[in-house]
Amino acid sequence: MSVSNFCKFVQFVLFFEAVGAAGQSETRRPSQARIEMFGATGSSILLPGFSKEHFQNVHFIRWTFLATQILDYYNTTQRPSFTNLYKNRCNFFPSNGSLVLRNVTMEDQGQYRVQINLNYSRSREIKLNVVEPLSQPLIMSDLTDVDTTVELICQVSVGKASSIQWRKDDEVITNGPQYQLVQNKLIISKAKKSDCGNYTCTVKNPVSEMNNLYFLSIHGLPPLHRYTVGLSIAALISAAATLFGIIILCLHENSQAIGLELHKKMLQFLQIATMLSLIILFAAFVCWVCGEGPSGIAVFMLVLLSVLLILTILAAYVMKASVSQWLSAILSIKLCSVMMDAVTPLGVIIVICASGILLEEVMKQAGKGCEPVANLQSSIIPAVAVPLIILLLLFGVYIMHYKKPKQQTTGTPPACQDEEDSSQPQCAEEVPLQATSEGNCSNSRSSANGQEPDQT
């Protein structure tokens, strides 16, 4: 053989070996690939074997778990021989070398290996992770009041969640200024009525996924709304008490029991009470505007209350002599009298009506959230009704005591007696006024003039 032919032969052999090595490396790579799998406790899991491309010229197969042998399979007998530990827990498939492991426990977690013909290059490693399935999550919350930090806690009693997802009305919640996600908690900062609704917690791990629904109801009112309710109730009760006082004063307008000075002091007291009611209601509307923003009705009521407050102050000063003379020089006396008599009742009536309207608006705003309006009504109605009932009972008792002395003073007619002769008989109380004037009273007047009565 010539030298040139020998060199060509050597190149051909090297080329063939390189091609064979490349092909062998391509067949080894998938067979030696490592797989990571997850299985749930108590379930069955399939440990994969080989594909058709790599499952050729198979004479012997062995499965092992760490250092423990699971089975041996000989192609000649076509029957797997299991060890006692896995004899009743496994199913082997000779078509591809896969293995089914039943009733998986935490002890089954680890490294599995399957080999063909005891050749390390024709083996596959499988890492099995055994995970406990999750139970249905339980959602809990602590505070659910307006303007507080509300925490929703999602917990599972069985298993360990690898991820937790929160949704509100089918919208996924992410971290932001309103919501913060910390481990298994959903934190709502400064909760509002709009934050109420359906919240869903979804927990996941590699072998299970569970969720639960929780309805969050935000209770109560914001601080400014609470101030509005309290001030409105105070203004309403104060105005009602002032109205009863005005009615009592009107009953004694022409009575001799109350003097002029006492009448004047009572009128001044009622005017001061009206001023107080107007100021309280004005503060209630200011809190409402700060909480809900300015509106046409609110601004109109603020202006109206300011005008009534100024008129009430002027009416109180009208009662002073110096101020009365000064106002009389500007206004007519009749107008001053109307101002003094009409401003206080008008202010009281407007306070009562405006307080009721404001309380109704607060309840409408409360009804926009998830809390039933009945919960708010159950707390507002007693606060308004109880003081008003007490005032009404006191007013009724006063009226009953007021009528008794009035009936006693008006029920007895005056006796008809001669002024000059006290010895003459008086007119009987039982005799009607018309008969008395025609009979005994005319005879007594004739005797007093020195004339004899007519016998006919």
Side-chain angles (χ1 to χ4, degrees), residues 119-347:
N119 188 352
Y120 179 78
S121 62
R122 300 184 66 185
S123 65
R124 169 169 285 184
E125 292 183 357
I126 303 169
K127 182 180 180 182
L128 177 61
N129 299 297
V130 180
V131 181
E132 196 169 11
L134 297 171
S135 61
Q136 188 175 26
L138 177 65
I139 303 176
M140 300 176 294
S141 64
D142 47 2
L143 299 176
T144 57
D145 296 328
V146 176
D147 277 351
T148 59
T149 299
V150 177
E151 290 186 359
L152 298 181
I153 304 173
C154 184
Q155 291 182 340
V156 290
S157 58
V158 179
K160 184 177 180 180
S162 58
S163 66
I164 298 177
Q165 184 184 70
W166 289 92
R167 287 177 295 170
K168 180 182 183 295
D169 300 331
D170 297 331
E171 293 184 4
V172 178
I173 298 175
T174 57
N175 274 313
Q178 187 177 7
Y179 300 107
Q180 290 82 41
L181 302 175
V182 180
Q183 295 180 352
N184 64 332
K185 296 181 181 179
L186 172 62
I187 302 175
I188 305 175
S189 302
K190 294 183 178 181
K192 303 175 183 178
K193 285 286 186 178
S194 58
D195 291 325
C196 66
N198 292 318
Y199 287 81
T200 304
C201 172
T202 303
V203 292
K204 297 180 182 179
N205 66 8
V207 298
S208 61
E209 177 179 342
M210 300 293 290
N211 58 61
N212 198 2
L213 183 67
Y214 181 81
F215 179 77
L216 177 63
S217 178
I218 304 298
H219 299 279
L221 293 171
L224 289 174
H225 285 190
R226 290 198 297 267
Y227 299 153
T228 302
V229 171
L231 292 172
S232 299
I233 293 175
L236 180 61
I237 295 172
S238 175
T242 306
L243 181 61
F244 288 139
I246 293 173
I247 296 174
I248 292 173
L249 191 62
C250 291
L251 293 175
H252 289 285
E253 183 178 2
N254 297 323
S255 176
Q256 300 294 332
I258 297 180
L260 182 61
E261 188 65 26
L262 181 58
H263 189 280
K264 182 178 179 181
K265 288 182 179 180
M266 289 182 63
L267 184 58
Q268 288 178 343
F269 175 77
L270 293 175
Q271 288 172 342
I272 294 174
T274 305
M275 292 182 207
L276 183 62
S277 300
L278 290 170
I279 292 173
I280 294 174
L281 186 60
F282 186 87
F285 270 99
V286 170
C287 293
W288 176 257
V289 171
C290 293
E292 291 294 324
S295 62
I297 297 177
V299 173
F300 172 75
M301 289 305 302
L302 287 175
V303 174
L304 179 61
L305 292 174
S306 301
V307 173
L308 286 174
L309 184 59
I310 295 172
L311 292 177
T312 307
I313 294 173
L314 290 177
Y317 275 97
V318 162
M319 299 189 66
K320 293 186 177 181
S322 58
V323 179
S324 179
Q325 293 175 1
W326 177 72
L327 282 177
S328 298
I330 301 175
L331 305 173
S332 63
I333 297 176
K334 185 175 181 180
L335 183 59
C336 292
S337 177
V338 170
M339 179 186 297
M340 187 171 57
D341 294 338
V343 168
T344 300
L346 180 62

Side-chain angles (χ1 to χ4, degrees), residues 259-456:
L260 182 61
E261 188 65 26
L262 181 58
H263 189 280
K264 182 178 179 181
K265 288 182 179 180
M266 289 182 63
L267 184 58
Q268 288 178 343
F269 175 77
L270 293 175
Q271 288 172 342
I272 294 174
T274 305
M275 292 182 207
L276 183 62
S277 300
L278 290 170
I279 292 173
I280 294 174
L281 186 60
F282 186 87
F285 270 99
V286 170
C287 293
W288 176 257
V289 171
C290 293
E292 291 294 324
S295 62
I297 297 177
V299 173
F300 172 75
M301 289 305 302
L302 287 175
V303 174
L304 179 61
L305 292 174
S306 301
V307 173
L308 286 174
L309 184 59
I310 295 172
L311 292 177
T312 307
I313 294 173
L314 290 177
Y317 275 97
V318 162
M319 299 189 66
K320 293 186 177 181
S322 58
V323 179
S324 179
Q325 293 175 1
W326 177 72
L327 282 177
S328 298
I330 301 175
L331 305 173
S332 63
I333 297 176
K334 185 175 181 180
L335 183 59
C336 292
S337 177
V338 170
M339 179 186 297
M340 187 171 57
D341 294 338
V343 168
T344 300
L346 180 62
V348 169
I349 293 173
I350 290 179
V351 168
I352 293 175
C353 296
S355 300
I357 293 173
L358 192 56
L359 289 174
E360 184 181 0
E361 288 296 324
V362 173
M363 286 189 287
K364 285 182 180 179
Q365 291 297 323
K368 292 182 178 180
C370 299
E371 181 185 8
V373 182
N375 293 347
L376 184 62
Q377 290 177 346
S378 61
S379 59
I380 291 179
I381 291 177
V384 177
V386 172
L388 291 180
I389 291 174
I390 293 175
L391 286 174
L392 188 60
L393 291 176
L394 293 175
F395 180 72
V397 171
Y398 177 82
I399 293 298
M400 295 298 294
H401 283 277
Y402 170 74
K403 286 184 176 180
K404 287 182 179 180
K406 190 173 181 181
Q407 290 176 356
Q408 292 177 0
T409 56
T410 59
T412 304
C416 185
Q417 186 177 2
D418 186 67
E419 297 179 356
E420 296 181 359
D421 189 3
S422 61
S423 62
Q424 296 294 330
Q426 298 178 354
C427 297
E429 295 179 356
E430 292 82 3
V431 181
L433 182 60
Q434 187 177 8
T436 303
S437 61
E438 293 178 355
N440 295 335
C441 291
S442 61
N443 293 336
S444 62
R445 286 195 296 269
S446 301
S447 300
N449 295 329
Q451 298 178 0
E452 293 295 332
D454 191 2
Q455 298 298 330
T456 61

Side-chain angles (χ1 to χ4, degrees), residues 35-61:
I35 302 174
E36 185 174 6
M37 300 184 64
F38 292 89
T41 55
S43 65
S44 299
I45 186 169
L46 175 64
L47 302 178
F50 300 90
S51 63
K52 287 184 179 181
E53 181 182 359
H54 303 99
F55 199 70
Q56 297 177 3
N57 300 322
V58 178
H59 304 291
F60 175 77
I61 298 176

